[in-house]
Every structure is written in structure tokens, then in C-alpha cells.
Amino acid sequence: MNEKKERYGVLVVDDHPVMRDGLRAVIEQEPDMEVVGEAADGRDAIKQFQKLLPDIMLIDLQMPDVDGLQAITTIRNEFPDATIIVLTTFPGDARVVRAFTLGATSYLLKTARRDEIIKAVRGALSGRHTVAPEVAQEIASHTGQQGLTEREVGVLKLVAEGHSNRDIADALCISEDTVKARMKSIMGKLGAEDRTHAVMIAIRRGFMDSQP
């Protein structure tokens, strides 16, 4: 998909029209690039990718309906060589690691300069990975730390919804003592002071989404 060609097709995916317009303006200033399509959510991104087969896709993560990570998963399953750059607001280390694990080529923040975005696009088309400095710093700051397990994330999501330990135990068909044990483990891993603090850290680092 990344062979040398006269013009590279770019698919832009973001739920904010202004952001899509801005990216289009940046990309189409380059003589060898063109925006071949746009999408406002992950579901449409999948359809547009299947239809247009772009050389590269720029995608946000937090979008309605189907989010960016889900879209990346589906697209990479069908097109293993797809070149995908995440361009988002969220630098959380767990989110970044998951994006790369699912098949993202590079990870940039929306605060990136125009020249940084174009450089990352060209790099990705050549098979090179780019990670925003702030993102790399976030990852480095948590190197060696244990991540949350799927079961711990499940508990924390219910905590975020305001459920008590008893409610959580009933919902997950586990004992209340097990809920307490998982919360103790969660708070230890995250360095959280209390349940609310644990939720805030988990959202910031990308273990769970800020939207329901």
C-alpha cells in the first residue's frame, strides 16, 4: 500500500468538522498528497476505508458510536497493511500502548504543528513510527508499572457509574470481598488516594473512556 506514487490518498476521520477542514487544508498544500475522503465516526471510517482504500488514515480516538480504537481494530483485521496515524487529544500511556498494539503506525496529539503532522505522514508512508514527545514522556513515566486487568477495569467502570461495592458484586456475580480486593489492587497500581481519584487516573491514562 505504501509504494512510491504521484499522489497519496489520505482519509481524515474526526467528529469535529473544523478539525477535518484544518487537516484537509494542511494535507492538500502538499503536491503529492490529497484528501480522498472524510468520516465523522469510526463506523463511517471503516466504510470509507473499505470503499476508498486510502494510502493512509488520520483518525481521532474518542468519537460517537464506534470509537477510533474499534475502527483501527476492524480495519487492520481486514487490511493488515493499513497505515494509520492516531491524531487525538489524549496522551494516556495505556491508550497509546493499546493503539499501537491494535495496529496504529504513529500517535500524535492535536497540538502538533502542521509540519509535524506532514512529517509524520511521510514517515508513516515510509514505514517509520512517530510518537509525540508528550506521549513518549507519558509512556516512559509509567514504564515497569503494572497495568489494570480486564476484571479490574470492569470494577472501576461500575465505580465510575456510582455503584456501591454491593451493587458491583451483584452485577459481576462475585463476592463483595472480591470487589474490595480488586479495588485495593487498582488503587495500589494507580497510586490513587480513593475511588474517585482512581477513576480520574484511569481515564487520564486511557484504561477507560471518559464517555459512557
Side-chain angles (χ1 to χ4, degrees):
M1 187 175 289
N2 296 333
E3 70 275 6
K4 184 68 176 177
K5 56 198 303 184
E6 291 185 4
R7 288 174 73 83
Y8 293 102
V10 183
L11 175 61
V12 175
V13 184
D14 196 289
D15 59 332
H16 292 94
V18 173
M19 188 67 190
R20 296 198 304 273
D21 290 345
L23 287 172
R24 176 182 286 275
V26 169
I27 292 165
E28 296 198 335
Q29 287 180 4
E30 303 300 311
D32 58 345
M33 297 181 191
E34 62 178 331
V35 175
V36 295
E38 298 181 10
D41 59 58
R43 190 178 303 280
D44 194 29
I46 295 167
K47 293 179 181 178
Q48 292 297 322
F49 198 100
Q50 293 168 332
K51 175 184 176 182
L52 301 169
L53 298 178
D55 296 291
I56 191 165
M57 178 173 71
L58 295 176
I59 187 169
D60 192 8
L61 292 186
Q62 191 158 310
M63 296 181 292
D65 194 11
V66 174
D67 67 26
L69 291 175
Q70 292 172 304
I72 291 171
T73 301
T74 301
I75 290 169
R76 288 282 296 190
N77 283 341
E78 186 172 351
F79 305 97
D81 294 328
T83 302
I84 301 171
I85 291 181
V86 171
L87 184 60
T88 188
T89 308
F90 308 99
D93 64 299
R95 186 182 291 106
V96 178
V97 170
R98 187 174 175 210
F100 278 115
T101 300
L102 293 175
T105 304
S106 297
Y107 198 108
L108 300 179
L109 298 181
K110 289 184 177 180
T111 52
R113 301 191 310 269
R114 293 183 177 186
D115 61 306
E116 292 174 332
I117 294 173
I118 294 300
K119 183 178 180 180
V121 170
R122 294 195 184 283
L125 289 168
S126 300
R128 296 194 302 273
H129 300 274
T130 302
V131 181
E134 304 95 323
V135 172
Q137 183 177 2
E138 179 77 9
I139 294 173
S141 68
H142 297 292
T143 298
Q145 296 180 6
Q146 281 187 295
L148 300 184
T149 66
E150 185 176 341
R151 290 178 176 180
E152 288 170 343
V153 172
V155 168
L156 204 52
K157 285 181 177 179
L158 292 173
V159 170
E161 293 173 5
H163 296 289
S164 67
N165 286 350
R166 169 49 56 193
D167 291 339
I168 295 171
D170 291 343
L172 298 179
C173 298
I174 57 179
S175 70
E176 194 168 351
D177 285 342
T178 299
V179 174
K180 292 177 181 178
R182 288 183 187 172
M183 278 306 306
K184 182 178 179 180
S185 174
I186 290 167
M187 292 173 66
K189 289 179 178 180
L190 299 181
E193 299 174 0
D194 53 39
R195 293 159 67 97
T196 301
H197 191 209
V199 170
M200 292 173 60
I201 294 172
I203 290 174
R204 178 179 61 78
R205 290 185 57 187
F207 288 110
M208 45 190 282
D209 198 64
S210 60
Q211 293 182 344

